[in-house]
Amino acid sequence: MALISDGRFVEDGWRRLAEEEGLPKSGKIVVSLARLEHALAHLSDGVSLGVNAPNTTDPGALAAALPRLQLVEVVFPAFADGRGFSLARLIRRAGFKGELRASGRLLADQYAHALGCGFDTVEIPDDIAERQDESQWRAALAAHARTYQRGYVAAGSILDARRKAAAK
């Protein structure tokens, strides 16, 4: 799997725990949604915790855990399944400040939208990374300076820019 941050392929510092694997005493770990409650109850102080959540997850199921999580990984089973974008917006609206990661079969064309919905990083399978190299993800990042969607992109929305221009 390739991890993309700021349009570049980067190393992933998180480790996914297998369902039967015990909780470590330190490090950055990602557990399944099914293991989240157990991990929160038995977590050592030196462990950063992340959760792997299907794009069908009810955001309310994560709400109580969000303050203790450093990573929420939303799984996209197919590039045409956009429910993960909605889930990301709801997680950010709930106040999550940690890393929000899209994981799965996303394409470079969806990168700007993912960032606009609140994702920080995108993790893609190796077969997509071979077809769409780092230069395509960087180009996708620079393709749109503004969007109609108000979100988490620093440049602001097209509508905000129009309102500012009209106010002058």
Side-chain angles (χ1 to χ4, degrees):
M1 298 286 262
L3 183 63
I4 302 149
S5 178
D6 295 323
R8 303 208 182 281
F9 287 15
V10 298
E11 291 294 319
D12 188 0
W14 291 86
R15 181 171 69 94
R16 284 183 187 82
L17 287 188
E19 290 301 316
E20 68 281 354
E21 191 174 355
L23 295 172
K25 300 277 187 226
S26 63
K28 298 168 123 182
I29 61 165
V30 179
V31 298
S32 68
L33 188 58
R35 279 191 79 181
L36 180 59
E37 190 174 322
H38 177 305
L40 288 169
H42 299 92
L43 196 63
S44 298
D45 288 338
V47 177
S48 295
L49 183 62
V51 66
N52 180 287
N55 65 351
T56 57
T57 301
D58 176 6
L62 293 172
L66 289 178
R68 296 185 61 197
L69 294 172
Q70 287 77 41
L71 170 75
V72 175
E73 182 178 74
V74 178
V75 179
F76 285 76
F79 73 90
D81 188 344
R83 292 176 287 183
F85 296 119
S86 299
L87 180 57
R89 293 283 300 205
L90 294 171
I91 289 170
R92 287 294 187 205
R93 284 184 187 160
F96 182 65
K97 302 289 186 213
E99 180 182 343
L100 189 55
R101 178 181 295 183
S103 179
R105 305 209 56 84
L106 290 173
L107 304 175
D109 293 348
Q110 296 170 303
Y111 191 36
H113 185 63
L115 295 174
C117 289
F119 286 108
D120 301 298
T121 55
V122 175
E123 183 181 52
I124 57 171
D126 293 333
D127 66 316
I128 293 175
E130 288 174 16
R131 287 192 325 266
Q132 294 186 320
D133 64 9
E134 188 175 299
S135 66
Q136 288 179 311
W137 290 88
R138 249 192 333 270
L141 180 63
H144 305 287
R146 296 189 185 273
T147 64
Y148 280 103
Q149 176 187 27
R150 280 194 177 118
Y152 301 92
V153 180
S157 75
I158 291 170
L159 299 174
D160 291 337
R162 285 183 183 166
R163 285 188 186 110
K164 281 184 182 178
K168 289 182 180 181

